[in-house]
Amino acid sequence: MKERLFFSQRVSVALLVALGLIAVLAPFSADTKMRALGFGLDPQRPLHSFIFNGEPMPVEARKVGIYGGFALATLWLAWRAPRAERLARPAGYIAAVAGIAVMGFDGFNAFFYDLGVPHLYAPRLDVRLGTGLLAGLGMAALLWPIWGATAWAPPRTAVHARDFLVPVLLSAVVFLALVTGQAWLALPIAFIATLGLVLIVAMLNAVPILVLHKRESLAVNWADVLDGMTLAACLSVLELLILAGTRYALIGTTPLP
């Protein structure tokens, strides 16, 4: 493994610490920094966002669900089932796809509503949030085993339904906190959602990075993939900022209709 490292473990840790310090010490409010990081992929429309103290959250309701649910599930699985390469039962794949499909159905219904064409129901923030959480959990269930099969050397494990109990319960807490107007939790939840966005992009970066560098199925501990994960995380932040900058250059800060 050593001859295939992108950079040393010390450099990896230093880069991650530097990335964290930049995020914390940048001379902007936490709300502004989260808006900037998600601006390229999140329309950030006030009517699609929960409002607290007269200000919309920096992440739209549906995106809070998608990114937040993904973050909660992925962080838990990293501890509970780090070496998972598959879901234990076919029903797990069905449930994951169903969660994503429910969110897609609600999204199309909202799109038809916006167009003024026939639709089944008027969009609601709580439905956007709830279906987004289902989709985020489903995405984590599908992507985490792909990461595990790519990174870890045998023997590998499976993800069981019980491994999702805690992420589901935490997702329920997020849902109840926002729909009941718990303003003091809005910023931490927005942070979790923003972290989830970075994790999604980082995971999508990490798999091809390991494959192209011929590092697949070689890791025996987290140190073996720390450099690849660090590179993927740095790339994800850079890509998100490029997307945000491109959108800003095209339309400024005007929210999408």
Side-chain angles (χ1 to χ4, degrees):
M1 292 295 293
K2 290 183 179 180
E3 67 275 9
R4 294 185 177 181
L5 295 178
F6 298 105
F7 28 71
S8 69
Q9 185 173 346
R10 288 184 179 180
V11 172
S12 299
V13 173
L15 285 173
L16 291 175
V17 170
L19 194 63
L21 288 175
I22 291 172
V24 172
L25 299 179
F28 306 100
S29 68
D31 183 272
T32 298
K33 286 183 276 192
M34 287 188 285
R35 288 185 187 281
L37 198 58
F39 187 64
L41 294 177
D42 186 355
Q44 299 175 353
R45 294 160 291 190
L47 291 179
H48 291 223
S49 307
F50 286 96
I51 307 294
F52 294 100
N53 299 321
E55 292 292 331
M57 288 183 66
V59 188
E60 286 189 2
R62 194 185 309 281
K63 304 302 190 306
V64 169
I66 297 172
Y67 305 152
F70 186 89
L72 293 172
T74 300
L75 293 175
W76 178 255
L77 290 174
W79 178 76
R80 177 73 179 179
R83 302 177 68 93
E85 65 173 349
R86 59 185 174 83
L87 301 182
R89 298 179 180 276
Y93 292 97
I94 296 173
V97 172
I100 297 171
V102 168
M103 185 273 295
F105 175 83
D106 182 65
F108 275 111
N109 179 79
F111 179 64
F112 295 151
Y113 175 87
D114 291 339
L115 291 179
V117 299
H119 53 278
L120 292 180
Y121 53 89
R124 294 169 42 142
L125 289 182
D126 54 355
V127 177
R128 285 187 166 115
L129 174 62
T131 57
L133 286 166
L134 291 177
L137 294 171
M139 290 170 60
L142 296 178
L143 289 178
W144 186 254
I146 294 175
W147 155 258
T150 303
W152 297 104
R156 296 187 285 257
T157 61
V159 178
H160 296 269
R162 61 178 178 272
D163 295 323
F164 272 87
L165 178 60
V166 170
V168 168
L169 291 176
L170 291 175
S171 296
V173 171
V174 168
F175 180 84
L176 291 173
L178 293 185
V179 300
T180 59
Q182 303 301 314
W184 62 284
L185 287 174
L187 192 63
I189 290 174
F191 172 78
I192 292 171
T194 304
L195 176 62
L197 171 59
V198 175
L199 287 173
I200 291 173
V201 180
M203 188 172 292
L204 294 175
N205 284 330
V207 170
I209 284 173
L210 293 181
V211 171
L212 292 175
H213 200 60
K214 298 181 180 179
R215 293 272 299 279
E216 68 272 20
S217 302
L218 293 177
V220 295
N221 55 53
W222 283 107
D224 291 335
V225 290
L226 180 61
D227 62 322
M229 293 166 56
T230 301
L231 179 59
C234 292
L235 283 176
S236 68
V237 173
L238 179 62
E239 290 160 356
L240 289 170
L241 291 177
I242 289 174
L243 285 173
T246 301
R247 182 181 167 199
Y248 179 79
L250 293 174
I251 66 172
T253 57
T254 303
L256 294 176

